[in-house]
Amino acid sequence: MTGIRRVLAAVGAAVLALTSTPATATAAGITDEITMTLGKDGTLHVVEKIAGASGQLKRTFLTRTRHDDGNDRIYEIRNVKGGKLAGDVLTVTAPATVEYDVKGAVTPTGEAQELRWFALSGWNTPVAKATVEVSGPRQVQNLACFAGDLTSVIGCTAASMDHGATEAVFEQDDLAPGQALTVIVGYPEGATSGAPILERRFSLAAAFTLDTVTGGALVALLVLMLGGTGLLYWTRGRDARVIGHEQGMAAPVQNGHFSPPDGVRPGQIGTLVDEQADVIDVTATIVDLAVRGHLRIDEQPRQAYDAPDWVLVKLPTAAPGSLLPYEQALYDAIFDGRDAVPLSHLSGSFASHLGEVRDALYDDVVRQGWFARRPDTERTRWTTLGVVLVVAGLLATAALAWMTTYGLIGLAVVIGGGALAVGGQYMPAKTAKGSAALAHTLAFREYLFSGDLGEVPEQHRVELFSRYLPYAVIFDGVEHWSRVVASVTGDGQRADNLYWYHGPAEWDLSKFAGSMRTFTTTTSGAISATRQFRSL
């Protein structure tokens, strides 16, 4: 008897285990009964009855899919009841009944309409069993369903419609967390007024689409912007025309003495020619001050590997009051209370004065009547306006590219602003007087390098050729004219020094050309090293 009882107990335990297996499977996931009703306006009303679990559950709706190369398809979830929707995440407390509306789930397809919705997707728990019932305003023409991952093409457990084709029913068992049940129901054309909700996807190719509209607008805007820039230069930036009889120049040599055209000094010529007060203008002015007797340049002795240096010596014998304002500012900046200063020290002492020299040079060319406004101010104004247009164009390009396909139109503003910023460098315009002075200056340059200087008495050659030298610095001819100066003295014989340039012991004028070339290069370097004298 005892053995029989043991057998019966074992059989009973086995039967109990077999009968409890379905209950365990059901407990492994929720059940979801879904009823979906499609309205004539294309809104899908959904009711879900969630059971088989207790506590808080979360579902992440799929509300964005790729529609085509340029657009995403948007599904809008509205009017949620029975749960809390935050972004795309629905939170419910099971068991629960949840209601919500879906917009954008209907797509016209030829002579039909298709309802496609992810009836079950994104749960953070397994789904043991789900049923979906779909009804709409017209009869069902076709149906389909897919289950598993979002890209799955595996059909669902069951799909059918009632005998009157008014309702479609879908079933699916055992979905893992995050998997989906997608249902598709076809209706006749015009069953609803629903349509996909599309949102343009950003891409550079789409943002800068070139078609008839954007191409035409781009060309029109470019013509307007570049044409406007050209018109500005034509009306505001061109030099005044020179009257024919003013295009020549007076002879620079009169009675054996040097007389520059229109009395223009080297620094003024440099600013007049390129409309900028730059480093070479200051270097030429220093040489000019020496030649005119305001200072002397003493070259310092050096060993083979020493850096070359010069001492600028103040000469009190110069005529007082003979300096123009910019020359006086430069003279004061050089000596700054000293009687002599090594050139190597100028990079430190010039830092606080070069701005004054620059301003004085620009003011001087306006005072001479050669420009109506300071060239640096004119360049800055138009260049700043161009930069502002470039920035505005970049902002417009970014906005148009992000929100539309008209990004190319913004680029036209960028190009126009860039043209104005670059063209602003050419906006300073000379007056008629300035154009005449420039014509005389250019004729003087041709005369200077023609090699035909006429008959110059020997007693005037040193002074005359020395007076040419600062202008040769401006015209980039210092090498040639240094040799000319070194070739003669007052009596036609070679000497050891000039009245304005002294060399070290065992130095003579045969070395002057090399010394002068190095001096101008070193001086320009010392000036520019202050980093405060820059052309705009």
Side-chain angles (χ1 to χ4, degrees), residues 76 96 126 164 200 218 252 269 465 496:
E76 296 181 354
R200 191 176 70 89
L218 175 64
I269 279 186
F465 293 160
D496 292 336

PDB file of all heavy atoms in Angstrom, residues 76 96 126 164 200 218 252 269 465 496:
ATOM      1  N   GLU A  76       1.356  61.964 -34.473  1.00  0.00           N
ATOM      2  CA  GLU A  76       1.050  62.789 -33.309  1.00  0.00           C
ATOM      3  C   GLU A  76       0.102  62.056 -32.362  1.00  0.00           C
ATOM      4  O   GLU A  76      -0.951  61.578 -32.776  1.00  0.00           O
ATOM      5  CB  GLU A  76       0.417  64.112 -33.747  1.00  0.00           C
ATOM      6  CG  GLU A  76       1.352  64.988 -34.588  1.00  0.00           C
ATOM      7  CD  GLU A  76       0.700  66.297 -34.991  1.00  0.00           C
ATOM      8  OE1 GLU A  76      -0.519  66.467 -34.700  1.00  0.00           O
ATOM      9  OE2 GLU A  76       1.385  67.144 -35.599  1.00  0.00           O
ATOM     10  N   ALA A  96      -4.887  48.782 -16.288  1.00  0.00           N
ATOM     11  CA  ALA A  96      -5.319  50.120 -16.690  1.00  0.00           C
ATOM     12  C   ALA A  96      -6.029  50.071 -18.025  1.00  0.00           C
ATOM     13  O   ALA A  96      -5.873  49.128 -18.809  1.00  0.00           O
ATOM     14  CB  ALA A  96      -4.110  51.054 -16.787  1.00  0.00           C
ATOM     15  N   PRO A 126       7.450  42.164 -21.330  1.00  0.00           N
ATOM     16  CA  PRO A 126       6.949  41.260 -22.374  1.00  0.00           C
ATOM     17  C   PRO A 126       5.430  41.342 -22.490  1.00  0.00           C
ATOM     18  O   PRO A 126       4.723  41.676 -21.536  1.00  0.00           O
ATOM     19  CB  PRO A 126       7.388  39.873 -21.886  1.00  0.00           C
ATOM     20  CG  PRO A 126       8.493  40.123 -20.922  1.00  0.00           C
ATOM     21  CD  PRO A 126       8.192  41.430 -20.275  1.00  0.00           C
ATOM     22  N   GLY A 164     -18.831  41.028 -42.851  1.00  0.00           N
ATOM     23  CA  GLY A 164     -19.264  42.241 -43.545  1.00  0.00           C
ATOM     24  C   GLY A 164     -18.118  43.158 -43.915  1.00  0.00           C
ATOM     25  O   GLY A 164     -18.335  44.244 -44.460  1.00  0.00           O
ATOM     26  N   ARG A 200      10.399  68.053 -42.916  1.00  0.00           N
ATOM     27  CA  ARG A 200      11.604  67.993 -43.751  1.00  0.00           C
ATOM     28  C   ARG A 200      12.813  67.628 -42.895  1.00  0.00           C
ATOM     29  O   ARG A 200      13.044  68.195 -41.835  1.00  0.00           O
ATOM     30  CB  ARG A 200      11.849  69.339 -44.437  1.00  0.00           C
ATOM     31  CG  ARG A 200      12.907  69.290 -45.523  1.00  0.00           C
ATOM     32  CD  ARG A 200      13.030  70.627 -46.216  1.00  0.00           C
ATOM     33  NE  ARG A 200      13.624  71.625 -45.351  1.00  0.00           N
ATOM     34  CZ  ARG A 200      14.941  71.840 -45.252  1.00  0.00           C
ATOM     35  NH1 ARG A 200      15.776  71.112 -45.968  1.00  0.00           N
ATOM     36  NH2 ARG A 200      15.414  72.765 -44.467  1.00  0.00           N
ATOM     37  N   LEU A 218      19.035  83.418 -56.752  1.00  0.00           N
ATOM     38  CA  LEU A 218      20.454  83.589 -56.482  1.00  0.00           C
ATOM     39  C   LEU A 218      21.086  84.533 -57.499  1.00  0.00           C
ATOM     40  O   LEU A 218      21.820  85.460 -57.131  1.00  0.00           O
ATOM     41  CB  LEU A 218      21.154  82.228 -56.514  1.00  0.00           C
ATOM     42  CG  LEU A 218      22.676  82.251 -56.365  1.00  0.00           C
ATOM     43  CD1 LEU A 218      23.073  82.788 -54.996  1.00  0.00           C
ATOM     44  CD2 LEU A 218      23.254  80.848 -56.561  1.00  0.00           C
ATOM     45  N   PRO A 252      61.914 118.588 -61.690  1.00  0.00           N
ATOM     46  CA  PRO A 252      62.282 118.489 -60.276  1.00  0.00           C
ATOM     47  C   PRO A 252      63.617 119.142 -59.955  1.00  0.00           C
ATOM     48  O   PRO A 252      63.950 119.313 -58.790  1.00  0.00           O
ATOM     49  CB  PRO A 252      62.342 116.977 -60.043  1.00  0.00           C
ATOM     50  CG  PRO A 252      62.687 116.402 -61.375  1.00  0.00           C
ATOM     51  CD  PRO A 252      62.018 117.285 -62.378  1.00  0.00           C
ATOM     52  N   ILE A 269      54.012 111.179 -50.440  1.00  0.00           N
ATOM     53  CA  ILE A 269      53.919 110.417 -51.687  1.00  0.00           C
ATOM     54  C   ILE A 269      53.475 108.989 -51.408  1.00  0.00           C
ATOM     55  O   ILE A 269      52.598 108.443 -52.085  1.00  0.00           O
ATOM     56  CB  ILE A 269      55.275 110.423 -52.431  1.00  0.00           C
ATOM     57  CG1 ILE A 269      55.426 111.729 -53.212  1.00  0.00           C
ATOM     58  CG2 ILE A 269      55.376 109.238 -53.388  1.00  0.00           C
ATOM     59  CD1 ILE A 269      56.651 111.769 -54.081  1.00  0.00           C
ATOM     60  N   PHE A 465      71.368 114.204 -55.458  1.00  0.00           N
ATOM     61  CA  PHE A 465      71.128 112.764 -55.499  1.00  0.00           C
ATOM     62  C   PHE A 465      70.715 112.229 -54.127  1.00  0.00           C
ATOM     63  O   PHE A 465      69.961 111.260 -54.035  1.00  0.00           O
ATOM     64  CB  PHE A 465      72.364 112.029 -56.020  1.00  0.00           C
ATOM     65  CG  PHE A 465      72.661 112.324 -57.482  1.00  0.00           C
ATOM     66  CD1 PHE A 465      73.927 112.095 -58.010  1.00  0.00           C
ATOM     67  CD2 PHE A 465      71.677 112.831 -58.327  1.00  0.00           C
ATOM     68  CE1 PHE A 465      74.197 112.366 -59.352  1.00  0.00           C
ATOM     69  CE2 PHE A 465      71.948 113.097 -59.663  1.00  0.00           C
ATOM     70  CZ  PHE A 465      73.212 112.877 -60.175  1.00  0.00           C
ATOM     71  N   ASP A 496      84.794 109.386 -47.773  1.00  0.00           N
ATOM     72  CA  ASP A 496      84.542 108.370 -46.760  1.00  0.00           C
ATOM     73  C   ASP A 496      83.127 108.454 -46.196  1.00  0.00           C
ATOM     74  O   ASP A 496      82.601 107.453 -45.719  1.00  0.00           O
ATOM     75  CB  ASP A 496      85.548 108.507 -45.606  1.00  0.00           C
ATOM     76  CG  ASP A 496      86.962 108.143 -46.044  1.00  0.00           C
ATOM     77  OD1 ASP A 496      87.090 107.393 -47.024  1.00  0.00           O
ATOM     78  OD2 ASP A 496      87.906 108.613 -45.397  1.00  0.00           O
TER      79      ASP A 496
END
